[in-house]
Amino acid sequence: MANRIITSFVVTLVVLATICDAQLSSTFYDGTCPNALSTIRTAIRTVVSKERRMAASLIRLHFHDCFVQGCDASILLDDSSTIESEKSALPNVNSVRGFEVIDKAKSEVEKVCPGVVSCADIVAIAARDASFAVGGPSWTVKLGRRDSTTASKSLANTDLPLFTDDLNTLISRFTNKGLTARDMVTLSGAHTIGQAQCFTFRGRIYNNASDIDAGFARTRQRGCPSLSTTANNQKLAALDLVTPNSFDNNYFKNLIQKKGLLQSDQVLFSGGSTDSIVSEYSKNPTTFKSDFAAAMIKMGDIAPLTGSAGIIRSICSAAN
């Protein structure tokens, strides 16, 4: 009997330890690398001050990481003999950027405390610091993620949202990751500082549809020729025509005026279930920013590797 009690007690301790290991904490590096966050913040601020567009790219990088295998820095891995990189997946190729920024931040952190801070955590911190650098909200980033040794191009192709998605498809993609329709609308608000390539919105601005403002379409046509060529396809346009360099709620005001650049933007306000959320955010920027911070924290909790799972990569692009 006594042996059973002892065995049960030991099992309970192991289970509790596993649960504790699996929890992220904002103080995770306080003892092992107290200067980690300030080092990363400096690296991100330096880059964003030179190119404000990079803020949106870093937020998107975190998003595209978390939606494939969880927030594990799998998106950073290059092709190798054992890895088919997510970078070449349809939603990422020639689109997702900021890899060199994460590499730079990682390099600076490695100088301070080598082998301690994961690439996955750096991606999460960079998204927060990028948001704040352009007038967006800040939030307390939970830390303790570890890095994967694998990537999944196939999951990147199936799980990430596409610019052609309709509302139900978008809601389903987010629901599959434990995020609500409100979270989806909130996180889409990051498009207020984003840009899109011509090929992603050409069909929308030339189709004379009823869900796009005619004047807005003509304005966008000037920067996106109807002829599909490599050069034309890569021409960029701000997703928010009004204040493209500021993190604000104009993105939602644009949707109400039928000035969403991407189809996957405009479907958020098209007579569907998310219209009321868009209307709310268009009137209350404070609510939007507060909800955005909460949604980013929630997204950062998607299936992280913790405890003894994964590794701490010394170079973010290689599973070494």
Side-chain angles (χ1 to χ4, degrees):
M1 182 69 175
N3 286 339
R4 283 187 203 163
I5 294 174
I6 292 172
T7 301
S8 176
F9 179 68
V10 170
V11 169
T12 301
L13 286 179
V14 170
V15 171
L16 288 174
T18 302
I19 292 172
C20 289
D21 281 345
Q23 291 179 340
L24 302 178
S25 166
S26 61
T27 60
F28 188 82
Y29 296 115
D30 283 7
T32 55
C33 191
N35 294 323
L37 270 68
S38 60
T39 301
I40 296 168
R41 181 170 60 247
T42 298
I44 301 308
R45 283 181 176 176
T46 300
V47 171
V48 174
S49 67
K50 296 176 181 177
E51 184 194 358
R52 289 179 72 85
R53 179 192 170 204
M54 186 55 71
S57 297
L58 291 172
I59 294 172
R60 185 165 181 251
L61 183 65
H62 183 33
F63 169 65
H64 279 229
D65 179 36
C66 290
F67 261 55
V68 182
Q69 296 189 168
C71 308
D72 61 357
S74 62
I75 196 172
L76 306 180
L77 290 169
D78 286 336
D79 281 320
S80 72
S81 59
T82 59
I83 293 171
E84 189 174 20
S85 177
E86 294 169 18
K87 296 177 182 179
S88 60
L90 182 62
N92 293 332
V93 66
N94 298 321
S95 173
V96 173
R97 58 198 293 270
F99 301 110
E100 72 287 352
V101 179
I102 301 300
D103 288 342
K104 175 63 175 176
K106 174 66 172 177
S107 175
E108 294 302 313
V109 171
E110 287 293 297
K111 294 176 185 177
V112 178
C113 40
V116 175
V117 182
S118 70
C119 298
D121 277 344
I122 292 175
V123 171
I125 296 166
R128 187 271 310 273
D129 292 345
S131 168
F132 189 69
V134 292
S138 183
W139 55 89
T140 300
V141 179
K142 291 190 283 185
L143 304 167
R145 300 170 191 80
R146 290 170 66 84
D147 301 323
S148 71
T149 56
T150 62
S152 180
K153 179 179 178 179
S154 61
L155 285 179
N157 277 322
T158 58
D159 289 9
L160 287 167
L162 300 174
F163 62 87
T164 54
D165 282 347
D166 60 25
L167 181 59
N168 288 336
T169 301
L170 288 171
I171 291 175
S172 177
R173 290 190 193 278
F174 279 74
T175 299
N176 289 340
K177 303 300 177 182
L179 299 171
T180 66
R182 187 179 184 89
D183 293 328
M184 183 266 291
V185 175
T186 306
L187 293 170
S188 297
H191 285 182
T192 193
I193 52 170
Q195 293 184 326
Q197 297 182 75
C198 176
F199 80 91
T200 64
F201 60 87
R202 177 184 285 116
R204 176 162 163 73
I205 62 174
Y206 283 101
N207 67 1
N208 297 314
S210 60
D211 67 344
I212 185 169
D213 177 83
F216 172 74
R218 286 193 296 272
T219 298
R220 289 312 196 190
Q221 287 170 6
R222 290 199 290 268
C224 179
S226 59
L227 179 64
S228 177
T229 67
T230 299
N232 286 346
N233 289 346
Q234 294 176 351
K235 289 181 181 294
L236 294 170
L239 290 162
D240 173 14
L241 187 61
V242 184
T243 53
N245 293 317
S246 298
F247 195 107
D248 55 31
N249 68 331
N250 272 320
Y251 167 81
F252 300 105
K253 295 178 180 179
N254 294 338
L255 298 185
I256 292 173
Q257 298 170 7
K258 298 183 179 182
K259 295 179 180 179
L261 188 59
L262 302 177
Q263 175 182 321
S264 56
D265 288 326
Q266 193 59 56
V267 295
L268 303 184
F269 192 85
S270 57
S273 60
T274 56
D275 282 17
S276 60
I277 306 170
V278 171
S279 294
E280 179 184 358
Y281 288 156
S282 73
K283 299 171 186 174
N284 196 328
T286 302
T287 299
F288 162 53
K289 288 187 176 183
S290 175
D291 284 1
F292 185 84
M296 288 295 288
I297 293 171
K298 189 174 178 181
M299 186 184 75
D301 284 342
I302 298 176
L305 297 174
T306 58
S308 58
I311 62 173
I312 302 296
R313 295 187 214 143
S314 58
I315 299 174
C316 289
S317 60
N320 51 354

